[in-house]
Amino acid sequence: MDMTIRPVEPADYALLGEITAEAYLGDGLLDFGIGDPYLEKLRDVPHRAAEAEVLVAADARGRVLGGVTYAPPGNPWADIAAADEAEFRMLAVSREARGAGAGEALVRACIDRARATPGVTGLVLSTQPAMHGAHRLYQRLGFVRTPERDWAPIDDLRLLAYRLELLPPA
């Protein structure tokens, strides 16, 4: 599929918020369903875009297929990143676009940004145990499980950590 990765635009905010919310709701990833307080954070693309870099995958017609939040070192949206690491989170692709490469393209864009940032030695992420398709994608792209960094933002929700070692350019 022909697609472009670009920064989110204000006209995309509502759609990306719904794509992200639906990905989490539809896959049963929110403990409290439609009443989960995290749902509001998933939908709040304007807040994320004001504080971090939100990227979207768009098809050849400009239709948003999905998005991700990229947090460079020191960014308030980073949950587990060390001072020399970048992090991404809230990767989501619309149900209709799954399997077409949008998720991989968004992760690769995060990798490229991290590699282009001086002093960054790794890219990290947290994922839920049930996100098996995402785990396969991360492993295929070279991310390694770092169980010593697993954490629980709330009771009964253990997140798995992954890290990609970014080698310095040769």
Side-chain angles (χ1 to χ4, degrees):
M1 173 184 281
D2 186 26
M3 74 181 74
T4 302
I5 304 300
R6 62 170 172 77
V8 69
E9 298 170 358
D12 305 323
Y13 290 171
L15 177 57
L16 182 57
E18 286 311 308
I19 287 171
T20 308
E22 177 50 39
Y24 279 70
L25 276 172
D27 290 346
L29 301 171
L30 297 174
D31 288 347
F32 306 108
I34 195 113
D36 198 299
Y38 194 56
L39 196 55
E40 183 177 325
K41 197 168 190 174
L42 293 170
R43 284 189 170 119
D44 193 359
V45 177
H47 185 174
R48 283 190 272 149
E51 295 183 350
E53 186 174 1
V54 178
L55 303 171
V56 296
D59 68 12
R61 294 179 303 174
R63 185 180 54 145
V64 172
L65 307 172
V68 68
T69 300
Y70 173 79
N75 188 274
W77 283 85
D79 284 324
I80 64 169
D84 64 342
E85 295 173 328
E87 184 169 342
F88 71 87
R89 50 188 298 204
M90 298 179 183
L91 175 65
V93 175
S94 70
R95 192 150 314 279
E96 304 80 39
R98 289 187 180 180
E104 181 171 341
L106 288 161
V107 173
R108 287 185 182 280
C110 292
I111 294 169
D112 291 345
R113 279 161 174 71
R115 281 199 171 116
T117 305
V120 173
T121 65
L123 179 62
V124 296
L125 66 102
S126 299
T127 182
Q128 291 188 23
M131 296 177 167
H132 302 293
H135 302 167
R136 287 189 297 275
L137 169 63
Y138 304 144
Q139 291 165 357
R140 191 172 70 249
L141 294 177
F143 286 83
V144 176
R145 274 279 291 122
T146 53
E148 68 278 7
R149 295 173 80 169
D150 291 356
W151 65 293
I154 61 171
D155 290 342
D156 299 326
L157 176 60
R158 184 125 182 103
L159 297 180
L160 309 179
Y162 281 80
R163 184 177 193 276
L164 176 67
E165 180 74 21
L166 299 175
L167 302 173

